[in-house]
Amino acid sequence: MSQRTQHPIAQIVGTYARPYASRFSAGIFLQLLARIPQRVPALVIGVAVDALLIGSAAYTLPLVPDAWIPTGQTAQFWFTVGLLALAVSLRGGLDWLSALLTFGATVDTIHDVRIATYDAVLGLEMGYFDDTGSGSVMSVLNNDVNNLRNLSGALTRAIMFGGQVVVAYAFMLLLNWQLALAVGLFPVVLAGGGRIYSRLLEQRYTRVREQVGSVNDRLGDAIDGISTVKAFTKEAHESRRLAAHSREYLKANWSTVRLRVGFDGFSWSLSNLTHAGLLLFGGFWVLNGPPLFFTRELTAGTLFTFLMYTKSFLAPVRAMSTDVIDAYENGHASAKRVYDTLTETRTVDADDGPDIAVTDGHVAYEDVTFSYTGDGETISGVSFDARPGELVGVVGSTGAGKSTLLKLLFRFYDPDSGTIRIDGRAIQSHSIRSVRDAIGFVSQDPFLFDGTVRENVAYAEPGADHERIVRAAKLAGAHEFITDLDAGYDTEVGERGVLLSGGQRQRIAIARAILHDPDILVFDEATSHVDNETEIRIKESFDSLAADHTTFVIAHRLSTVRDADRILVLDDGELVEEGTHEGLLDRDGIYADLWRVQVGEFDAVSESFVADGGARESGREVGR
Ligand code: ADP
């Protein structure tokens, strides 16, 4: 926890830039070193003006022994040219090498941050993804991580400009410390303004980064649901919705632009006033001798050097207070988001207990209650016992809590009260990874990854041999259609498996779960996308699987779970009935009504069932 209170930039730099510290330091050192030759031309030209053009002073250079300086005008002229060429090349070479080192180290650092953030996101729990849209997650991984480049740019430029200012000022003090002190007022005034500016800018950039996430959420939603958008011809509607979010983003951007332009104007005026003041004041000094309380001599050549130095002194001070603060705050807002993601505590490993040892797959729920939001229970006081090797059907209307009930078994969420046990051990006290490892899962909307059929079946065990893959596919009723595909098991399924039908995807996902061979299997509406023939095949595989697995099947089609050893009937989060198909029909409760709807005996459905909204509008679905 204490880590979260530290400065995000310090944390990120301390952790991820440290391995490249030697390259960063060498780059920064060369950067600072280059500032010395950068100041030489103005000095040399000033001296040459006085000595060679006006002839008002001898050719002397600070810190250079007179013995090194040639005598005679022509020799001094060429000496000047040589010095200029040397200074310019030295500066260019040092800057080039420094850029190579710092940019290279930055790119490496950003790569490491991206991988670390990606790993952190993958380790996060479902609750995080419920609260954070996928677009926002993507914007952190993409935009914000890349935006850290701004930060590195700002920091390296701050060091460069800082060096430039210090060196220029040192040269100015050397030339005429009295005039240098007068010019030194400028950065003091600017720094005061810069502080206020920086604070205002930080708030605005935080808002900009949030809006980038929100636009990405909207975009992701529309693209993920593109077939629905097209089917309902809702392109214009989606476009309007995106435009609304984009306008918020634009507003946030505008507010930073206005602030930036305003401050830029302020610093520009201040810089020009300083320059004009120096010209007037210095000109007066050269012509009439030292004014006011000043005592030192000022020659035309020195004034010229001074004016050039002031320029190279004012420019970086201005750049620091505008560009650098801007890039820093921009990068700072991103660094905060990256850091928050890196330090998000809702991780799979957050409350890691010892690994659970599953031997039989005996599942017991004891008075389990759970709510997603804190108000209104999604699961209320559910207790049941699923013995090893049982096939357990979970039925109920849409929204009754069937999926939620089994999400608790995976520890996607933990119950608010009550206990879930596997083989007598409370899963809450065991590591999430080991609990999940004991359970195979096929979701309502199975997800296939871009790759071959083989890779998708062997997702949990990439090294599985061909025989095992084929056996799993046969059990899932998938082998036949797979062998009919162009390249059989080596057929590419496309992103998210788009090249296959819903039923085919589902069967591959079932094969994937079977190959993993855990003690417990959970099928969430696994037969919802398949035709009747495949359903029968899958049902048969449930029966054969159930011999050595405890198998949960969430089903809308009651026929899928007709032969189950135990059927749990959920209504509004409560377990209202439990038994076998026959037993439940005899009981003549909700299950019997659901069954009658399914087999088309609408007249026989009880009035209370209809009054209850067809067990909450489920008629349509159970009748599928
Ligand atoms: P079923 O599988 O029976 O259709 P679910 O378990 O999916 O029902 O949902 C039960 C209730 O919980 C529904 O009212 C649903 O809106 C709500 N719910 C499901 N998932 C979430 C979630 N991630 N956050 C908040 N509420 C949810």
Side-chain angles (χ1 to χ4, degrees), residues 191-509:
R195 267 191 78 79
I196 302 170
Y197 171 64
S198 164
R199 216 167 294 147
L200 290 173
L201 204 58
E202 181 187 348
Q203 297 160 0
R204 296 185 191 196
Y205 267 124
T206 302
R207 176 118 190 87
V208 169
R209 301 321 313 170
E210 285 166 3
Q211 291 303 327
V212 171
S214 144
V215 167
N216 272 2
D217 277 342
R218 196 63 257 142
L219 274 175
D221 225 26
I223 302 299
D224 283 349
I226 192 73
S227 55
T228 310
V229 173
K230 296 255 161 241
F232 285 87
T233 59
K234 282 292 178 197
E235 291 90 343
H237 171 72
E238 285 302 325
S239 168
R240 274 196 301 278
R241 287 218 288 184
L242 179 71
H245 284 270
S246 186
R247 239 187 320 275
E248 288 304 311
Y249 172 52
L250 178 119
K251 268 197 234 159
N253 253 335
W254 252 116
S255 83
T256 64
V257 168
R258 274 199 306 273
L259 187 66
R260 224 161 47 199
V261 171
F263 189 74
D264 203 39
F266 164 72
S267 79
W268 185 86
S269 314
L270 196 62
S271 149
N272 278 296
L273 277 176
T274 309
H275 221 85
L278 178 68
L279 191 63
L280 276 175
F281 190 64
F284 184 82
W285 194 330
V286 171
L287 295 175
N288 301 322
L292 306 170
F293 40 82
F294 294 98
T295 52
R296 288 184 65 95
E297 274 309 309
L298 187 66
T299 66
T302 309
L303 178 62
F304 172 81
T305 306
F306 230 90
L307 280 169
M308 283 181 69
Y309 277 179
T310 324
K311 208 170 183 57
S312 53
F313 170 74
L314 295 182
V317 171
R318 251 197 81 202
M320 279 227 270
S321 60
T322 52
D323 288 359
V324 174
I325 291 183
D326 183 72
Y328 175 83
E329 290 304 348
N330 191 349
H332 185 194
S334 286
K336 275 196 290 194
R337 285 162 58 86
V338 170
Y339 182 68
D340 284 349
T341 309
L342 280 170
T343 53
E344 172 63 53
T345 49
R346 280 176 287 176
T347 65
V348 176
D349 298 318
D351 56 344
D352 220 13
D355 286 353
I356 195 164
V358 178
T359 45
D360 305 325
H362 181 170
V363 175
Y365 277 52
E366 295 167 5
D367 203 14
V368 171
T369 295
F370 169 74
S371 146
Y372 281 106
T373 50
D375 53 24
E377 292 172 356
T378 310
I379 298 295
S380 320
V382 170
S383 302
F384 67 85
D385 208 24
R387 282 189 256 289
E390 270 191 352
L391 176 61
V392 181
V394 182
V395 303
S397 52
T398 309
K402 304 183 292 294
S403 299
T404 307
L405 185 75
L406 287 165
K407 278 181 189 165
L408 299 177
L409 185 60
F410 285 90
R411 291 201 65 198
F412 283 153
Y413 308 91
D414 282 331
D416 300 331
S417 65
T419 310
I420 301 174
R421 294 182 192 281
I422 299 180
D423 291 342
R425 300 177 185 92
I427 59 171
Q428 284 102 313
S429 352
H430 288 88
S431 73
I432 292 178
R433 285 183 195 285
S434 66
V435 169
R436 289 185 192 162
D437 223 35
I439 314 171
F441 179 57
V442 179
S443 74
Q444 277 181 24
D445 189 14
F447 194 96
L448 298 195
F449 297 92
D450 200 4
T452 63
V453 170
R454 181 189 309 283
E455 285 162 359
N456 270 288
V457 174
Y459 184 66
E461 289 175 48
D465 59 33
H466 187 67
E467 278 68 43
R468 281 186 62 205
I469 292 175
V470 171
R471 199 173 336 123
K474 280 186 176 159
L475 273 174
H479 178 69
E480 266 173 37
F481 89 79
I482 294 175
T483 43
D484 283 347
L485 294 172
D486 283 348
Y489 280 87
D490 294 313
T491 309
E492 293 284 337
V493 301
E495 200 179 336
R496 294 167 182 243
V498 285
L499 304 180
L500 301 175
S501 74
Q504 290 172 332
R505 282 205 292 274
Q506 200 123 31
R507 279 179 279 169
I508 290 178

Side-chain angles (χ1 to χ4, degrees), residues 74-97:
T74 318
Q76 283 178 350
F77 171 76
W78 286 115
F79 180 70
T80 307
V81 172
L83 269 183
L84 290 180
L86 185 69
V88 169
S89 338
L90 204 59
R91 182 216 159 163
L94 288 172
D95 270 346
W96 174 80
L97 204 59

